[in-house]
Amino acid sequence: MQDGEVIIEQQGTAGIIRLNRPRALNSLTLPMIRAITEALHGFASDAAVASVVVAGEGERGFCAGGDIRALHESARTGDGLAGAFWREEFRLNHQIAVYPKPYVALMDGITMGGGVGLSSHGRHRIVTERTRLAMPETGIGYVPDVGATWLLPRAPGEAGTWLGLTGLDIGAADAIHAGLADRQIASARLGAVIEALSALPRGSSSSDVDAALQELSEPAGESRLRQNAAMIDRAFRFDSVEEILAALAGEEGDFAAETRRVLSTRSPTSLKLALALLRAGRRSTSLAECLGRELGACLQMLDNPDFFEGIRAAVIDKDRNPKWSPASVEAATVERFLKPAEPPLLL
């Protein structure tokens, strides 16, 4: 398949999936989710395919996440598209996590939200000097999803809590430190990555893929999250947003001050829900459990005023000045959002 929003092709023994909405930063639509799912099923059963590579077309990004303008419209009209999108996207995230063949994600440029779901659950996650990775949901009145509440709690210390609450973007070294990526390869060498993988023999293992990727890898540099790990761990170890903000107020340095400033701009509802989901994810025993809980929260976000306001400010009016409501969130509200979706997310 050489046209449309997803390009499916085979080069040597490499099955290749290219996201093809470059003007929209390859943001995902429901047809794209279905095309990727179908392609993965096909490559899994094809003995001629040794590995699968997922990449984004264009110069700007791998994938900026779901098409939030379409999700906003679906939430407004109640047409059910948003719920269908999330259900099928989350199933795809799980499919990637358990995929039987080496799955290689080229996280070049912007990799956010759903883009993290397409990449960080895979076995071989490549970042470049251009990578900007984030789970920015608290800034649009939403919550981290696509299995982020499984991934982020397993980052070192409280790095994942910092990422999930602030929504700030990070580079290659930070992504590797947080366990969301494995190695850095220069953007200019990604073509060589595909050539190397396409030359692998049938039946190649993840170790064979690793060896091929290692030949092209380069040092990732210093991680800002690692440099500030002690402060992040002190401030973000608490189980309430209020305690985290108070702890940040007692910390010295620009990093802590900027972190606290950013949190003050995020949806209060999203912050509390995100923290509760992250803590629940830390106690969970499987990605599937986290995805089911996230789906329950996401479906309820369709009735949350901050979801509409955040997307309005970010992508509709683009004034970057959301008016969040309410300013405080009751514990009972948080608990309601933590119930898994009905019917359950079938994987």
Side-chain angles (χ1 to χ4, degrees):
M1 185 186 304
Q2 293 295 324
D3 56 9
E5 295 180 336
V6 179
I7 300 171
I8 312 297
E9 57 189 358
Q10 186 173 338
Q11 183 174 321
T13 62
I16 302 170
I17 300 173
R18 300 184 188 275
L19 311 183
N20 190 35
R21 296 185 72 210
R23 285 187 290 182
L25 294 174
N26 297 316
S27 58
L28 296 169
T29 64
L30 184 55
M32 291 173 73
I33 294 292
R34 291 172 174 169
I36 296 166
T37 300
E38 182 179 355
L40 288 177
H41 282 306
F43 287 144
S45 61
D46 188 343
V49 173
S51 65
V52 174
V53 182
V54 182
E57 292 290 272
E59 299 294 323
R60 299 170 62 197
F62 168 66
C63 174
D67 187 337
I68 57 174
R69 187 183 291 268
L71 294 175
H72 176 273
E73 181 63 16
S74 175
R76 190 182 65 81
T77 62
D79 63 8
L81 183 145
F85 176 90
W86 285 323
R87 281 186 180 274
E88 297 193 36
E89 181 184 29
F90 293 3
R91 291 191 190 110
L92 174 58
N93 299 145
H94 192 268
Q95 179 185 9
I96 291 167
V98 300
Y99 200 64
K101 292 184 177 181
Y103 179 99
V104 183
L106 306 183
M107 304 158 70
D108 188 34
I110 292 173
T111 303
M112 297 184 178
V116 176
L118 279 184
S119 53
S120 291
H121 292 298
R123 271 189 257 176
H124 307 276
R125 297 88 50 91
I126 295 171
V127 285
T128 76
E129 76 284 356
R130 303 183 335 126
T131 298
R132 301 311 303 174
L133 182 149
M135 293 301 298
E137 289 79 10
T138 60
I140 59 168
Y142 187 51
V143 290
D145 63 353
V146 298
T149 64
W150 171 258
L151 293 168
L152 295 180
R154 283 150 187 84
E158 297 294 342
T161 311
W162 182 91
L163 283 165
L165 294 190
T166 67
L168 291 172
D169 63 284
I170 57 174
D174 284 333
I176 293 171
H177 170 71
L180 301 173
D182 302 301
R183 61 178 74 250
Q184 179 171 331
I185 296 177
S187 180
R189 305 191 78 183
L190 294 183
V193 168
I194 293 177
E195 289 180 9
L197 296 176
S198 69
L200 291 175
R202 294 186 180 194
S204 292
S205 66
S206 280
S207 296
D208 298 322
V209 170
D210 261 331
L213 297 176
Q214 180 60 40
E215 292 292 320
L216 297 164
S217 298
E218 62 185 16
E222 189 61 45
S223 164
R224 189 168 177 236
L225 290 182
R226 186 190 298 274
Q227 290 174 329
N228 291 280
M231 187 283 293
I232 291 172
D233 291 351
R234 284 194 303 269
F236 283 84
R237 72 183 189 272
F238 300 102
D239 292 333
S240 77
V241 174
E242 291 83 358
E243 288 175 297
I244 290 172
L245 290 171
L248 285 169
E251 293 285 345
E252 297 180 354
D254 293 341
F255 187 89
E258 176 62 9
T259 295
R260 194 170 192 276
R261 185 199 68 76
V262 167
L263 290 177
S264 72
T265 69
R266 299 325 194 204
S267 160
T269 300
S270 292
L271 287 176
K272 290 208 170 184
L273 294 178
L275 183 59
L277 287 165
L278 290 168
R279 294 299 187 249
R282 180 174 287 172
R283 299 187 296 270
S284 296
T285 58
S286 71
L287 168 62
E289 181 183 346
C290 291
L291 287 169
R293 188 185 299 113
E294 289 173 6
L295 179 60
C298 293
L299 293 174
Q300 292 187 75
M301 293 302 285
L302 297 176
D303 295 321
N304 179 22
D306 277 5
F307 179 69
F308 294 90
E309 175 62 10
I311 295 178
R312 179 206 63 77
V315 300
I316 307 299
D317 297 336
K318 298 183 180 180
D319 60 22
R320 306 291 175 182
N321 186 32
K323 307 298 184 184
W324 305 123
S325 175
S328 61
V329 187
E330 299 298 326
T333 300
V334 173
E335 287 300 316
R336 175 173 62 84
F337 274 85
L338 296 180
K339 295 179 181 178
E342 292 293 343
L345 180 68
L346 301 178
L347 300 171

